[in-house]
Amino acid sequence: VSDASGCSMIALLHTGAAKFPQNLLSRSRQAVSPLLPAGVFKGFSSIVSRKLASHGFGASMAAMSSFPPQRYHYFLVLDFEATCDKPQIHPQEIIEFPILKLNGRTMEIESTFHMYVQPVVHPQLTPFCTELTGIIQGMVDGQPSLQQVLERVDEWMAKEGLLDPSVKSIFVTCGDWDLKVMLPGQCQYLGLPVADYFKQWINLKKAYSFAMGSWPKNGLLDMNKGLNLQHIGRPHSGIDDCKNIANIMKTLAHRGFIFKQTSKPF
């Protein structure tokens, strides 16, 4: 600080506000605040807030180290892989069923459910399906049926405390296909009920478009590119896609975005 007004220090902090480390910022504030006129740091906070907002990181200094509380205790990230071919086969059947339990406060993964499912109508995977998803025949042969997997999902949900009425959770998918088309369609074909917790979800594409102002035409690839994130794992691997969804959600949350249900009630 060069004089009683502390102008040189404020100019320094102002110049590097967007990059200044949070711990050093705090120490600098403690060191120089006794030397500054009242209200100077309040003005500095406003400067930092504007700089953070210009970089897409929310409207307050808190965005540098935390993010706003979400509406849900847990997000359940889901991404099915299903039998497929060109031209498309009917009915399609789920062959990979992954779920990541994401803590709504920390946006960290707390638990994983992951099973492969044996198709029954078209039990033999096509070469196109294996090339697209990376799932080979031996990964689905002898695996539980969809009915059995759904029963295990329910057991996992109970074990994780997600069936407690006081716990708010919601599924998150990359698009509406998984829970609007694929699961209810196959359950209808097999005569299986669809649990109520599968009937509301967040479409990450819509959430991203609300947060970033552009529609991700190429799904996860566009969202990772728009947020300067590295793609995790193999495209069209259900469990890897879930990890990418979780990473994108965490990044948006750190930017101050609050996730809301996008599906319409059934």
Side-chain angles (χ1 to χ4, degrees):
V1 178
S2 60
D3 53 43
S5 69
C7 291
S8 296
M9 176 60 79
I10 290 300
L12 174 62
L13 295 180
H14 182 182
T15 302
K19 299 181 180 179
F20 206 80
Q22 181 71 13
N23 61 335
L24 294 182
L25 180 61
S26 176
R27 292 176 189 173
S28 299
R29 175 172 182 163
Q30 293 172 5
V32 302
S33 58
L35 306 175
L36 302 178
V40 170
F41 255 104
K42 182 177 180 181
F44 173 62
S45 295
S46 298
I47 291 169
V48 175
S49 295
R50 290 196 298 273
K51 280 190 170 289
L52 285 170
S54 72
H55 286 273
F57 286 99
S60 71
M61 288 181 67
M64 296 180 75
S65 59
S66 62
F67 44 87
Q70 297 291 329
R71 296 184 171 196
Y72 297 91
H73 297 113
Y74 297 101
F75 296 104
L76 305 176
V77 179
L78 177 149
D79 190 272
F80 295 138
E81 298 304 324
T83 53
C84 53
D85 202 1
K86 280 191 174 182
Q88 189 59 272
I89 56 177
H90 296 283
Q92 284 189 272
E93 299 171 86
I94 295 168
I95 54 175
E96 185 181 5
F97 204 128
I99 307 172
L100 298 181
K101 179 188 176 188
L102 203 64
N103 186 302
R105 182 177 57 81
T106 65
M107 301 305 286
E108 298 291 343
I109 298 168
E110 286 194 353
S111 181
T112 301
F113 178 92
H114 186 213
M115 293 189 71
Y116 291 99
V117 189
Q118 180 163 338
V120 294
V121 182
H122 301 287
Q124 192 70 30
L125 302 183
T126 65
F128 174 84
C129 183
T130 293
E131 183 179 353
L132 180 70
T133 66
I135 299 172
I136 62 174
Q137 192 66 41
M139 295 165 72
V140 297
D141 284 347
Q143 294 302 308
S145 66
L146 180 64
Q147 180 177 358
Q148 292 170 320
V149 171
L150 289 173
E151 290 170 356
R152 295 189 190 182
V153 168
D154 203 65
E155 292 169 359
W156 178 79
M157 295 276 288
K159 179 175 69 73
E160 295 293 329
L162 297 166
L163 301 184
D164 184 335
S166 66
V167 175
K168 293 187 67 177
S169 65
I170 189 168
F171 279 90
V172 183
T173 58
C174 184
D176 291 322
W177 174 83
D178 300 80
L179 293 178
K180 186 176 183 179
V181 177
M182 188 61 237
L183 182 64
Q186 189 177 358
C187 284
Q188 182 179 26
Y189 184 88
L190 297 173
L192 302 174
V194 178
D196 286 342
Y197 45 71
F198 287 125
K199 295 180 180 180
Q200 49 276 321
W201 63 89
I202 295 168
N203 178 344
L204 184 65
K205 292 180 182 178
K206 290 182 180 178
Y208 177 90
S209 69
F210 297 152
M212 302 296 288
S214 62
W215 183 261
K217 294 180 181 178
N218 294 313
L220 294 174
L221 296 177
D222 280 358
M223 287 186 273
N224 277 327
K225 184 177 179 180
L227 295 169
N228 296 315
L229 299 174
Q230 285 289 110
H231 190 87
I232 299 169
R234 184 190 196 285
H236 301 295
S237 157
I239 190 65
D240 288 346
D241 283 352
C242 284
K243 292 174 183 177
N244 281 285
I245 293 171
N247 200 30
I248 291 166
M249 291 183 69
K250 182 178 180 179
T251 303
L252 290 177
H254 274 286
R255 291 189 175 205
F257 186 74
I258 298 175
F259 292 90
K260 303 174 185 177
Q261 177 178 332
T262 63
S263 65
K264 295 181 180 179
F266 273 54

